[in-house]
Amino acid sequence: MNNYMIFGLILVCAALLCYSLIPSAGLKYLWKQKSRKRIKEGRADRRLYLTFDDGPSREYTGELLCLLKQYRIKASFFVVAEFARENPDLIEWMKEEGHLVGIHSVEHKNALFRGRRFIREDIRESVGTLETMGCRARYYRPPWGHLNLWTLFFIRAMDLKLILWDVMAQDWSARETANSIKEKILRRVFPGAVLCLHDGRGTAGAPGRTLEALREAIPLLLEQGYVFERMDAYEY
Ligand SMILES: [Zn+2]
């Protein structure tokens, strides 16, 4: 490899870093810093924000909606447009129960190194799909939290708010059990935290384990004085 090729390779890597890797990692870092700052300044109360990605799924979302209803909890769902189109009744059910419905891409494709047209159409189609179901989407969570400079441009142009998270329990993984997910949730939550869980996709029936974990974690969190809110009540 000659010097020009090495220089070219360095340029490509630097461009990719600036285009997507730095914005993705940087925004996650800033989100967490903001949460810490809120606690430090005593502005955090005992609110938690339950958010669910990757649904709706025929198998799990209905059961989750029943569980949330049991405790009168309002949550936020970041739905994949193709699953929403397959399950319009579940979107209707979310609305009826007073949950917030946001977008999480059309087909859950990684947008990290995608270009302008892909990002624009992905967000536009996601918003449009929900619109046909009577939902005005105002909140967006990118799959895997991966985004690029065009994502930032289009969510601003389409008047969407970017939602990341504070707490993950790796509930999509086949390695996790219902108990380990519950333990992670209980150990990792803090006042004002946004929890990211999943009611669709995942490995080997993962959302079933998430549901089982929540059945035990929710009453314990309520006992600890936490209340649950939708993302539109979140203080930025
Ligand atoms: Zn996802």
Side-chain angles (χ1 to χ4, degrees), residues 13-29:
C13 291
L16 290 177
L17 273 173
C18 295
Y19 179 61
S20 54
L21 297 174
I22 291 175
S24 296
L27 284 166
K28 280 182 207 161
Y29 174 78

Side-chain angles (χ1 to χ4, degrees), residues 53-54 78 80 104-105 108 141-145 196 198 201:
D53 292 2
D54 295 6
F78 293 94
V80 176
H104 191 53
S105 83
H108 209 274
R141 176 176 282 151
W144 298 284
C196 177
H198 299 79
R201 298 179 76 251

